């Protein structure tokens, strides 16, 4: 005990107020918790009471389309690289117009943790999170969604964006046909 | 039917009653704790199983019973099996000496409302609470897991440390009552309970029992965020359930002990003595739950520091002061 | 050895090192684009700016252009040099398209890394972007000029290093364009290197187009199995499929680059018909079943006919470990009938080289550093492509190169070519060694005089020969010549081009043992009842496929361990699948006796693209990977002998048994490898097998030769190489053609002992008289013409003549 | 208009070209005769060194000094190259020489070849100078015929063959190492220095490269002596005469041969006839498009190498381009920079991409979309381009650019504040 007091003195000096503060600090929380016990709980009683999530709520993932109705996803693998639980897999391919797209695209929702890193990584705004959260099942295979299940007929957030119109490699527009580009250089001419 | 047989029968009936009351009490104490903690945190707590979640303990029991009984590969199996039982049984045994009502007259026989009114009840209680250490120490050791072992060692150190303070804080009680029998101790508190007569011993005992029951803020052996689940990390199913139930039975035992030693046992006006007794036990249990909802966990060194450098000296001084006072009073 | 200070750290470097390399030695990596270790510094990108505080040069300078000197004090972290680097990156990124997501370089793009490292984050340039039109550069290379940052690496690789002429720089100022004059396939057999050289996505691998990302590829340092040079390659797999191969770095062998055969010819392991399941008598079965059956049948045969009834055939494309275990298995059964190459001439040549090459073995690096090169009977571009590139590096330094070969040896550099008939080659070697040149023809004598003079004057001459035309005897003579030409102060090094990646190792293991000819005779005589083939196909590999086929037909048991759908694997009574090179680890001993480790980049299995039918993978889940039955040959062979061995154990056992391989178990992958110690005593050379020649009217001596993409066993199964395979043709000298009034390009009939085939005629100006050449082209009528077998007698007739 | 002694333009008369006969009459090939018969190569080199002749191609490096680095006495292949790739905007002096009197160049090259003991010479001439190359072809043929060129010139032991090569037409070919590459038949990209052409030039052999005007001066030095040559100049440090090509907003934009050191004001007023349309002088480029601007305060500066450098510019090729008061300097500099950006060979990044970046910046400012931060950005670009490129082309472009931000910053700010070009009507 004597040493306890010594320690106390070393720590707080001779100020008796400190002891008072400590005692108060020990007892006061009991009052706080007791007071809270008589307040109304803030819990939503979920299945009976439903809450409308905010538009940026992160739940079921979709693949969106550009304004022309083309698939936005270019299968760049950035979402699968960003995914911390490795629930996204795909195979990229090239169509006859030179457009890169996902030959297949799969999200295993039974693994997904809805962290939103895929949507954040997506450079073409293809992969987006929706607020649809009532999403569960008993068969893991039914939670494995393929591209057909994921694609929606809408642009989602930032509806107007079309990656290929900005890419600068002449897939949607002819080469050099974007508004921020000069036409292709004629390398056989030295004329300015 | 001989008297002896009737005595045996009575003891068995009492035992059965106590067993049932204790186990259901422990189960509902879990529910109560979860509800109270919920309210402290402004949520409801379990309210889905049955009205007000009353069936929750049953659901928990079913769940625990049906869960896979998992044994780690390198575990020391016999000890691993025994440890949870040890924890629960030592807790249960302590109740043998608790008197929860004055003796009643039944069919002309005076029946003491205690399983066994030992004249050394206090020592019996202290001995059993020392044995409780084995449950967690062996459980932690036998799991062959670093978390469990660490939890077990911590539990060992903590329980042994606080036992001293607990024992010392009971010395003034024995001095004041002049008996080791719990019934005598209760009777000695009429009309003033020892909590008022000797508040220092009461507080030391309260804190020590909280530490003995390994509850927040003294849940160092479990400490989820350091040791996963401490000594019972590797336990699952009903074995875990035994540890779990043991803890809550322990809580009730300690509540009863506080009632017996300091709160005047069954003594109280108007209401029948047994109601008083249970009301007091429940009040103590509520305090424990309240404490859990309020205080954060101590650090290991703080815990040891507090036990050895504060509680033990304080209770020693209290023994001397109380002894001196009694000598002077009776003097 | 100058000592200089960079960012307050001192470093001592070799004289002539540039400051950029010196900084790299300290772990300070300054962004750079145009500098490449193999291509040198040209100071075009201006990115590696450092601040030279003290020393002979001052101020902001390009580190790659400045030689490290004593007392230089340099900072790389000061504001001025950092600003310079940030601005250079900004300039380079002015026009760069916004297409990283659809660019195959993304993830392994130096421009991405350097942009971040250089400190340029936001594009301030608000003007319009320059764009280019792309070219179709053929089946191997994709062109996306908009991404170009004009580091000139591609053209320096393609033109300067690899000697390609059909690709270059066009235009000036910011409209500089890298491409061909007009669309078309890049003609150089080293064209793929511009993919590795390009720091961004201008040139990407078309066979790898949109296949996968760098971070998803499983890669491991490996060794190219297509020829005997042992070039370092890095195969990469994903979804159980080989996705691509890129060049590795081994300064002793390939340096930094690889040939297109190595790069695009990796697909043999993904051949659609690859046998992946053990088979017993044509029926698929499980591993334990197949192993039990093989063990039982062999035990039965040994019990009935004695150990001599079982013969074994190793392979120059199997790892040293597997060949060794086959050898030890044969020994444990008591059979001495084991050969390691079904091609007699190749087998013998490898043994000669293994026995006699010794310290005179020239590595490719020795060739690059040599000062006179004589190539005799070797056609590098077809037999060992990277040799041609090594020779070119010497020639670029002004080194003279002489080629003595009947074939029209094309090289990416200037050479003096003396076309002599194959029979004359050993005489030439003898003349060079003995100095008696007069007995050759006059024209030859004059040229040889010059060669001999230069050989004697050179300080580091190298002789290079190949077994196809020289034969084992010729190889031996080549080694003797080198020994005679060398003196104490002046080494004369030799390189022998061998057949397979592990020919040398097989040569060491074979020593005095029997050759396949003896085994063949045993099979024909009925003494040998069983043959176990380890990753080898005697049906197409031996010098006489017809006779081999007959012999195999007489066997009671033909067991094959392989990963290719070869004829032997197809006909085998017992087949055990093994893993392809990118899927396995092991050691190859290359043609100079250098032990090179390769490790496994991926696991075997049916590719997802196959099991999913090109669409998404099947929605069924199995505990086992489909098609993953193949096991490494060494593991299977160990299992068959009841030994549980790790690769390390095997290597230690090899070291114990063959002290030549000292240091084998301490080798690491990705290193330069280690040359093996010499064998003593060298094996005896078996007498040549003469091939009859009837000098009839109009008969020509027909020699088969290797083709870049058409001849190799592995290359034959690599579908990506298809565009490089020529249509069948026969080459004839101008005089012979004139005599027969045949003209170039004409469709002719080639008639020989192997039957008649219609092929196109190529008239070559300086082919020796009386000689015709055909490439061995697998999968065509020319498949059965085996190089290195000697000559076939043939007649070449025009289609009309044939009809009459 | 005061007449000064004409040396290079001695035989100039409008519309006519002096060939061998005229040239000989005016004392041509006497220098060669003197050199070959009376002087040793060392003496010739010494004489040129004493004359203080400085290269007329733009850099102004002392010719005697350059020659002293040349391994003249070592045997082996060596080359003499004349740089006639005159493409600097505003410069046309070589054309004037070759149109008036091409033999001067031929003789100058023979003497130089003798001095440096070089057997082969090449004249690299600009593609557009068609008439000049015809004149040169004729002059060379005439000299060959007269035994002044070829084997054993003037019956001495010295032989020299001279070739004419017409450029394929690119400004960068005027850079000496790019010129050598161009002569070798590869892309006309500059080479890194060191090694200098004197050590490793065409095909790796020692090569001496000089300008047309420099060579043309050599024979006059030899014929009349270095003291005479030195006296021609106005200034103490200078020597000889210089062809000043006047252009821009002048009444009489012509080429005059004037003594070195004559003041800028005198040239403009006396010979150029003053700024046109009676307007006031605003700025001038004293030596072609790659030299910094001079302003009205510099009108008294003598047009010689050292004084101009003191004034913050360079004599360059002596091509004086004058801008009147109505000129927008931002637009003028943008025009110059466009030229350099277009003529970049595309080898190194700061030149290839940095100059277009500046183009974009200046265009933005000129179109009134500039922001105040753009001036800092411009300075930052200049700072990182200047002296950090592979060759001197971008450095030349940064000459006027640097002087634009130094001397005319107010004007740029005006552009930005008014959100348009203040001088555009």
């Amino acid at each position: 005990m004597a040493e306890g007091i010594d320690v106390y003195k070393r720590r707080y000096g001779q100020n008796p107020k400190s002891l008072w503060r400590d005692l108060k600090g020990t007892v006061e929380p009991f009052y706080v918790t007791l007071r809270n016990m008589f307040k109304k709980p803030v819990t939503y009683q979920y299945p009976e009471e439903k809450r409308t999530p905010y538009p940026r709520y992160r739940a079921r993932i979709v693949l969106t389309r550009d304004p022309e109705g083309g698939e936005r996803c270019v299968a760049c693998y950035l979402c699968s690289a960003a995914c911390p639980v490795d629930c996204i897999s795909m195979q990229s391919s090239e169509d006859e117009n030179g457009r890169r797209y996902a030959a297949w695209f799969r999200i295993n929702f039974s693994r997904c943790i809805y962290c939103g890193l895929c949507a954040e990584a997506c450079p073409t705004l293809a992969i987006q999170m929706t607020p649809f959260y009532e999403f569960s099942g008993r068969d893991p295979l039914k939670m494995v969604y393929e591209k057909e299940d994921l694609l929606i007929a809408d642009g989602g957030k930032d509806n107007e964006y079309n990656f290929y119109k900005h890419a600068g490699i002449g897939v949607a527009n002819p080469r050099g046909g974007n508004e921020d580009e000069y036409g292709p250089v004629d390398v056989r001419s030295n004329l300015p | 039917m001989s008297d002896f047989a009737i005595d045996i029968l009575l003891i068995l009936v009492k035992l059965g009653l106590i067993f049932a009351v204790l186990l259901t009490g422990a189960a509902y104490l879990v529910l109560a704790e979860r509800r109270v903690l919920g309210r402290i945190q402004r949520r409801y707590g379990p309210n889905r199983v049955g009205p007000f979640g009353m069936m929750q303990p049953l659901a928990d029991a079913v769940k625990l019973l049906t869960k896979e009984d998992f044994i780690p590969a390198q575990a020391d199996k016999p000890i691993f099996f025994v440890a949870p039982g040890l924890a629960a049984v030592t807790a249960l045994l302590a109740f043998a000496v608790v008197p929860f009502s004055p003796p009643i007259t039944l069919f002309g026989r005076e029946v003491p409302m205690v399983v066994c009114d030992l004249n050394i009840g206090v020592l019996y209680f202290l001995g059993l609470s020392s044995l409780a250490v084995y449950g967690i120490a062996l459980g932690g050791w036998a799991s062959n897991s670093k978390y469990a072992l660490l939890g077990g060692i911590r539990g060992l150190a903590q329980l042994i440390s606080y036992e001293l303070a607990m024992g010392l804080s009971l010395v003034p009680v024995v001095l004041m009552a002049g008996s080791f029998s719990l019934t005598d101790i209760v009777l000695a508190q009429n009309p003033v309970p020892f909590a008022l007569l000797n508040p220092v011993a009461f507080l030391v005992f309260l804190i020590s029992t909280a530490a003995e029951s390994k509850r927040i803020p003294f849940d160092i052996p479990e400490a989820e965020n350091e040791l996963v689940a401490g000594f019972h990390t590797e336990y699952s199913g009903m074995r875990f359930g035994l540890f779990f139930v043991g803890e809550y039975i322990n809580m009730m035992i300690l509540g009863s002990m506080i009632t017996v030693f300091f709160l005047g046992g069954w003594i109280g006006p108007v209401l029948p003595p047994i109601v008083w007794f249970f009301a007091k036990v429940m009040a103590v249990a509520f305090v424990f739950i309240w404490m859990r909802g309020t205080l954060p966990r101590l650090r290991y060194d703080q815990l040891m520091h507090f036990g050895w450098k504060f509680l033990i000296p304080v209770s020693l001084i209290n023994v001397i002061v109380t002894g001196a006072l009694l000598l002077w009073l009776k003097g | 050895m100058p000592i200089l200070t960079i960012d307050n750290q001192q470093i001592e470097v070799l004289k002539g090192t540039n400051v950029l390399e010196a900084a790299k030695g300290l772990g300070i990596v300054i962004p750079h684009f145009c500098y490449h270790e193999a291509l040198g510094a040209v100071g075009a990108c201006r990115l590696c700016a450092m601040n030279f505080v003290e020393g002979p040069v001052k101020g902001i300078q390009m580190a790659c252009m400045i030689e490290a000197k004593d007392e230089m004090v340099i900072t790389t972290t000061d504001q001025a040099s950092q600003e310079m680097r940030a601005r250079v990156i900004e300039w380079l990124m002015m026009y760069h398209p916004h297409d990283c997501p659809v660019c195959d370089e993304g993830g392994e793009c130096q421009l991405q890394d350097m942009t971040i490292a250089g400190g340029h984050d936001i594009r301030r340039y608000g003007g319009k972007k320059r764009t280019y039109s792309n070219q179709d550069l053929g089946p191997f290379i994709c062109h996306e000029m908009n991404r170009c940052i004009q580091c000139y690496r591609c053209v320096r690789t393609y033109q300067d290093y690899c000697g390609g002429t059909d690709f270059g720089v066009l235009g000036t100022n910011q409209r500089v364009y890298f491409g061909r004059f007009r669309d078309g396939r890049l003609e150089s057999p080293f064209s793929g290197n511009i993919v590795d050289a390009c720091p961004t996505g201008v040139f990407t691998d078309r066979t790898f187009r949109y296949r996968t990302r760098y971070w998803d590829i499983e890669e491991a340092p490996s060794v190219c199995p297509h020829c005997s040079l042992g070039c370092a390659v890095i195969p990469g797999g994903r979804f159980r499929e080989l996705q691509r191969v890129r060049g590795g770095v081994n300064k002793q062998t390939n340096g930094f680059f690889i040939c297109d055969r190595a790069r695009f010819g990796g697909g043999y392991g993904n051949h659609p018909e690859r046998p992946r399941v053990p088979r017993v008598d044509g029926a698929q079965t499980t591993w334990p079943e197949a192993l039990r059956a093989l063990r039982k049948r062999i035990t039965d045969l040994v019990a009935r006919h004695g150990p001599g009834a079982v013969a074994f055939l190793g392979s120059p494309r199997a790892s040293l470990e597997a060949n060794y275990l086959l050898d030890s298995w044969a020994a444990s059964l008591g059979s001495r009938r084991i050969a390691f190459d079904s091609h007699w001439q190749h087998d013998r040549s490898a043994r000669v080289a293994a026995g006699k090459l010794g310290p005179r073995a020239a590595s490719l690096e020795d060739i690059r550093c040599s000062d006179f090169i004589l190539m005799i009977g070797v056609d590098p571009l077809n037999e060992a492509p990277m040799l041609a590139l090594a020779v070119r590096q010497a020639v670029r330094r002004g080194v003279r190169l002489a080629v003595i070969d009947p074939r029209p040896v094309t090289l990416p550099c200037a050479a003096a070519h003396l076309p002599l008939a194959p029979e004359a080659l050993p005489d030439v070697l003898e003349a060079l060694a003995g100095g008696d040149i007069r007995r050759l023809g006059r024209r030859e004598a004059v040229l040889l005089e010059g060669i001999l003079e230069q050989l004697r004057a050179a300080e580091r001459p190298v002789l290079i020969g190949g077994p196809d035309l020289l034969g084992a005897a010729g190889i031996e003579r080549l080694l003797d010549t080198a020994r005679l030409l060398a003196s104490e102060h002046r080494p004369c090094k030799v390189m022998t081009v061998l057949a397979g990646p592990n020919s040398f190792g097989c040569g060491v293991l074979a020593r005095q043992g029997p050759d396949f000819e003896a085994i063949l005779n045993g099979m024909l005589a009925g003494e040998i009842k069983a043959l176990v083939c380890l990753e080898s196909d005697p049906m197409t590999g031996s010098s006489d496929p017809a006779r081999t086929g007959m012999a195999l037909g007489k066997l009671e048991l033909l067991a094959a361990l392989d990963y290719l759908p070869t004829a032997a694997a197809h006909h085998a009574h017992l087949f055990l699948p093994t893993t392809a090179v990118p899927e396995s680890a092991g050691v190859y001993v290359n043609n100079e006796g250098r032990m090179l480790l390769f490790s496994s980049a991926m696991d075997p299995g049916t590719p997802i693209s196959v099991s999913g039918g090109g669409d998404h993978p099947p929605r069924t889940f199995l505990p086992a990977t489909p098609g993953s039955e193949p096991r490494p040959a060494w593991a299977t062979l160990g299992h068959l002998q009841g030994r549980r061995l790790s690769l390390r154990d095997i290597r230690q056992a090899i070291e114990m048994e063959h002290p030549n391989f000292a240091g084998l178990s301490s080798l690491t992958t990705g290193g330069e490898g280690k040359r093996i110690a010499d064998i003593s005593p060298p094996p005896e050379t078996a007498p040549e097998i003469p091939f009859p020649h009837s000098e009839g009217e109009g008969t020509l001596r027909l020699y088969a030769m290797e083709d870049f993409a058409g001849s190799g066993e592995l290359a034959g199964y690599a579908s990506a190489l298809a565009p490089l395979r020529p249509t069948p043709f026969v080459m004839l000298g101008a005089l012979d053609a004139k005599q027969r009034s045949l003209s170039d390009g004409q469709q002719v009939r080639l008639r020989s002992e192997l039957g008649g085939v219609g092929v196109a005629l190529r008239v070559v100006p300086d082919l020796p008289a009386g000689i015709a050449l055909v490439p061995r082209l697998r999968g065509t009528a020319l498949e059965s013409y085996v190089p290195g077998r000697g000559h076939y007698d043939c007649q070449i007739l025009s289609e009309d003549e044939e009809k009459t | 208009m005061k007449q000064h002694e004409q040396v290079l333009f001695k035989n100039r008369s409008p519309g006519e070209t002096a060939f061998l006969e005229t040239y000989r009459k005016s004392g041509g090939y006497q220098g060669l005769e003197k050199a070959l018969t009376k002087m040793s190569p060392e003496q010739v080199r010494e004489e040129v060194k004493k004359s203080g002749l400085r290269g007329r191609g733009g850099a102004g490096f002392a010719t005697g000094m350059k020659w002293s680095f040349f391994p003249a006495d070592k045997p082996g292949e060596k080359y003499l190259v004349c740089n006639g790739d005159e493409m600097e905007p505003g410069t046309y002096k070589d054309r004037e020489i070759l149109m008036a009197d091409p033999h001067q160049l031929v003789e100058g090259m023979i003497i130089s070849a003798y001095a440096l003991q070089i057997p082969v010479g090449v004249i690299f001439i600009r593609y557009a100078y068609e008439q000049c190359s015809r004149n040169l072809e004729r002059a060379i043929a005439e000299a060959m015929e007269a035994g002044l060129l070829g084997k054993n010139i003037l019956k001495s032991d010295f032989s020299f063959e001279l070739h004419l090569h017409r450029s394929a037409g690119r400004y960068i070919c005027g850079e000496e190492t790019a010129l050598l590459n161009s002569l070798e038949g590869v892309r006309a990209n500059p080479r890194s220095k060191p090694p200098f052409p004197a050590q490793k030039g065409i095909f790796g052999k020692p090569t001496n490269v000089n300008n047309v005007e420099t060579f043309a001066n050599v024979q006059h030095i030899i014929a009349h002596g270095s003291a005479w040559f030195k006296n021609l100049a106005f200034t103490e440090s200078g020597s000889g005469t210089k062809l000043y090509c006047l252009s821009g907003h002048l009444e009489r934009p012509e080429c005059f041969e004037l003594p070195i050191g004559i003041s800028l004001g005198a040239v403009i007023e006396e010979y150029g006839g003053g700024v046109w349309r009676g307007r006031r002088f605003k700025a001038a480029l004293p030596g072609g498009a790659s030299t910094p601007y001079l302003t009205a305060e510099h009108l008294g500066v003598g047009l010689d190498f050292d004084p101009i450098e003191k004034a913050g510019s360079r004599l360059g090729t002596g091509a004086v381009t004058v801008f009147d008061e109505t000129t927008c300097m931002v637009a003028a500099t943008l025009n110059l920079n466009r030229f350099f950006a277009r003529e970049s060979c595309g080898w190194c990044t700061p030149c290839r991409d940095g100059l277009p970046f500046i183009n974009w910046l200046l265009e933005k400012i000129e179109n009134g979309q500039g922001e105040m931060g753009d001036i800092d950005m411009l300075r930052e670009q200049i700072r990182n381009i200047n002296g950090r490129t592979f060759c001197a082309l971008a450095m030349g472009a940064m000459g006027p650019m640097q002087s634009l931000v130094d001397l005319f910053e107010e004007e740029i700010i005006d552009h930005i504040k008014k959100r348009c070009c203040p001088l555009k009507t």
Side-chain angles (χ1 to χ4, degrees), chain C residues 4-8 51-55 57 71-75:
Chain C
L4 64 163
T5 310
I6 306 172
D7 282 347
N8 298 322
N51 197 353
F52 288 67
V53 183
E54 297 285 339
V57 283
E71 276 152 34
M72 275 183 167
V73 177
I74 300 157
T75 61

Side-chain angles (χ1 to χ4, degrees), chain A residues 1 3-4 7 26 29-31 33-34 36-37 39-43 45-48, chain B residues 36 39-40 42-44 47-48 286-287 290-291 293-295 305 309-310 313-314 317:
Chain A
M1 168 119 195
E3 204 197 325
V7 169
T26 312
F30 282 91
Y31 170 65
T33 46
L34 191 67
N36 271 297
M37 233 179 281
K39 287 184 179 163
K40 193 179 154 31
V42 293
T43 315
Q45 295 291 314
Y46 165 58
E48 296 89 32
Chain B
V36 170
R39 292 311 296 249
I40 286 175
R42 298 190 67 184
R43 41 185 190 84
Y44 287 110
N47 64 351
R48 290 276 145 191
F286 173 75
V287 169
W290 189 12
M291 199 144 67
T294 307
L295 295 176
H305 181 99
K309 293 184 183 169
F310 184 78
V314 165
I317 290 168

Side-chain angles (χ1 to χ4, degrees), chain C residues 167-237:
Chain C
F167 172 92
V169 198
L170 287 83
T172 62
N173 63 57
Q174 16 116 237
R175 309 187 311 167
V176 166
Y177 188 85
F178 299 89
R180 284 166 54 86
F181 185 69
R182 56 172 68 88
D183 285 15
R185 183 168 74 78
L186 286 173
E187 287 157 12
S188 167
F190 307 100
S191 63
N193 289 317
I194 61 174
V195 174
D196 281 355
C198 181
T200 179
V202 179
F203 300 103
T204 45
D205 185 341
R206 192 181 279 282
T207 62
F208 180 57
R209 180 133 174 109
Y210 296 167
R211 296 285 290 274
T212 180
R213 285 281 179 211
Y214 175 64
W215 57 76
D216 285 335
I217 299 186
E218 308 166 86
E219 286 188 331
S222 188
V223 176
C224 174
H226 283 287
C227 75
S228 63
L229 294 181
C231 300
V233 292
I234 303 176

Side-chain angles (χ1 to χ4, degrees), chain B residues 32-65:
Chain B
E33 169 154 39
R34 290 175 66 187
R35 297 278 306 193
V36 170
L37 281 179
R39 292 311 296 249
I40 286 175
Q41 291 153 7
R42 298 190 67 184
R43 41 185 190 84
Y44 287 110
N47 64 351
R48 290 276 145 191
V49 192
F52 306 105
M54 291 302 277
M55 302 304 280
Q56 186 70 40
L58 200 67
D60 282 348
V62 169
K63 182 192 83 173
L64 284 172
L65 281 168

Side-chain angles (χ1 to χ4, degrees), chain B residues 30-226:
Chain B
V30 176
L31 177 66
E33 169 154 39
R34 290 175 66 187
R35 297 278 306 193
V36 170
L37 281 179
R39 292 311 296 249
I40 286 175
Q41 291 153 7
R42 298 190 67 184
R43 41 185 190 84
Y44 287 110
N47 64 351
R48 290 276 145 191
V49 192
F52 306 105
M54 291 302 277
M55 302 304 280
Q56 186 70 40
L58 200 67
D60 282 348
V62 169
K63 182 192 83 173
L64 284 172
L65 281 168
T66 51
K67 262 185 135 176
E68 186 191 353
D69 185 15
F70 182 87
I71 302 159
Q74 303 287 314
D76 190 338
K77 274 186 195 156
I79 300 180
F80 188 80
F81 287 152
V82 167
L86 218 54
V89 167
T90 48
L92 276 171
L93 281 179
F95 225 83
V97 293
V98 175
F100 32 87
S101 168
I104 53 165
T105 315
L106 209 64
F107 309 115
R109 289 179 70 99
E110 191 181 70
V111 181
M113 288 310 276
V114 54
V115 179
C116 178
D117 186 11
L118 280 178
N119 54 359
I120 48 152
V122 174
L123 296 182
Y124 173 80
F125 160 67
L126 285 175
L128 274 178
S129 73
S130 296
L131 280 178
V133 171
Y134 281 99
I136 58 169
L138 292 179
W141 163 260
S143 299
N144 190 35
S145 149
K146 52 180 174 276
Y147 297 119
L149 183 64
L150 278 172
I153 290 169
R154 281 185 181 192
L156 207 63
Q158 174 180 336
L159 263 58
I160 288 171
S161 306
Y162 278 77
E163 217 151 73
L164 282 172
M166 190 165 77
L168 285 171
S169 65
L170 285 184
V171 175
V173 173
V174 174
L175 285 176
M176 287 190 288
S179 167
F180 277 115
S181 160
L182 299 192
T183 318
D184 294 348
I185 291 172
V186 171
L187 293 172
Q189 292 179 67
N190 201 359
V192 190
F194 289 160
L196 296 178
L197 284 178
N198 197 338
V200 176
F202 171 61
L203 279 176
V204 171
F205 190 76
L206 187 71
I207 293 169
S208 306
T209 47
E212 281 288 287
S213 66
K214 309 178 290 292
R215 290 180 55 80
I216 286 174
F218 301 104
D219 63 336
I220 301 284
E222 290 165 46
E224 298 85 356
N225 34 13
E226 300 159 29

